[in-house]
Amino acid sequence: MLIASKDIEAFCRILRDGGKTVVFTNGCFDILHAGHVRYLNAARAQGDVLVLGLNSDASVRRLKGPERPINSEQDRAEVVGALKAVDYVVIFDEPTAEQLIAKVKPDVYVKGGDYTLATLPEAKIVQSYGGRVAFINMVQGRSTTNVIEKIRKLEGKKK
């Protein structure tokens, strides 16, 4: 279910007041692949409810370049929101999820194993209110960039 950014703080407070452990992760999730699915399943296993912060189209362009995203934020939100592991999706436009995390105040913030506490600006916010940061190992060789490269190589062979 897609939740508006302006409503997410109150919504997550209600979840926590109801005794739910709120887990949060974020990313672009441009072309969904098995690595994403495994990652999100592992993130969801960290608590009762998984809130996914989805980079807006403008945010993805700033992070990944002018040719991205491949899929629009609305399409990406619909696809990831349909996964069993994902309970709620909220779209954000900032370069990092710091502002969104300050609203959500997740009990557990999950990121891929390619990050560390030192390289994750959001970690300080999570730790400031007693939340936990968890790292999940990424599936080697599974990335949207790899999928795009493979498609480009196939396109080149057709010409």
Side-chain angles (χ1 to χ4, degrees):
M1 172 189 300
L2 185 61
I3 305 287
S5 180
K6 67 180 180 60
D7 299 327
I8 197 67
E9 186 172 3
F11 189 78
C12 288
R13 188 178 322 110
I14 291 167
L15 290 170
R16 281 191 308 281
D17 288 350
K20 301 291 185 191
T21 300
V22 176
V23 180
F24 179 84
T25 193
N26 62 284
C28 300
F29 299 94
D30 192 4
I31 297 176
L32 206 61
H33 52 74
H36 287 135
V37 174
R38 292 176 195 167
Y39 171 81
L40 293 170
N41 285 335
R44 177 62 170 77
Q46 300 285 320
D48 301 313
V49 177
L50 178 60
V51 177
L52 185 143
L54 186 70
N55 290 80
S56 70
D57 289 348
S59 177
V60 174
R61 275 190 291 282
R62 287 190 302 269
L63 291 168
K64 304 288 184 175
E67 293 183 347
R68 299 276 301 275
I70 302 298
N71 293 299
S72 73
E73 63 192 44
Q74 291 301 319
D75 285 355
R76 291 181 288 121
E78 185 175 340
V79 170
V80 295
L83 295 175
K84 186 175 165 181
V86 178
D87 296 294
Y88 303 101
V89 177
V90 59
I91 297 170
F92 71 100
D93 196 42
E94 297 76 27
T96 70
E98 291 172 282
Q99 290 179 27
L100 187 53
I101 286 174
K103 291 179 182 180
V104 172
K105 290 188 177 65
D107 300 291
V108 184
Y109 177 44
V110 177
K111 282 304 275 184
D114 51 340
Y115 289 91
T116 66
L117 287 176
T119 63
L120 195 60
E122 299 91 341
K124 289 179 184 173
I125 295 169
V126 175
Q127 293 170 326
S128 74
Y129 61 80
R132 180 171 62 88
V133 179
F135 296 99
I136 295 174
N137 289 330
M138 306 300 285
V139 179
Q140 292 297 326
R142 300 284 192 328
S143 76
T144 299
T145 301
N146 289 350
V147 171
I148 291 170
E149 291 296 320
K150 188 173 183 179
I151 292 168
R152 286 185 174 142
K153 285 180 185 175
L154 291 172
E155 280 297 310
K157 288 181 181 180
K158 287 183 177 182
K159 294 181 178 183

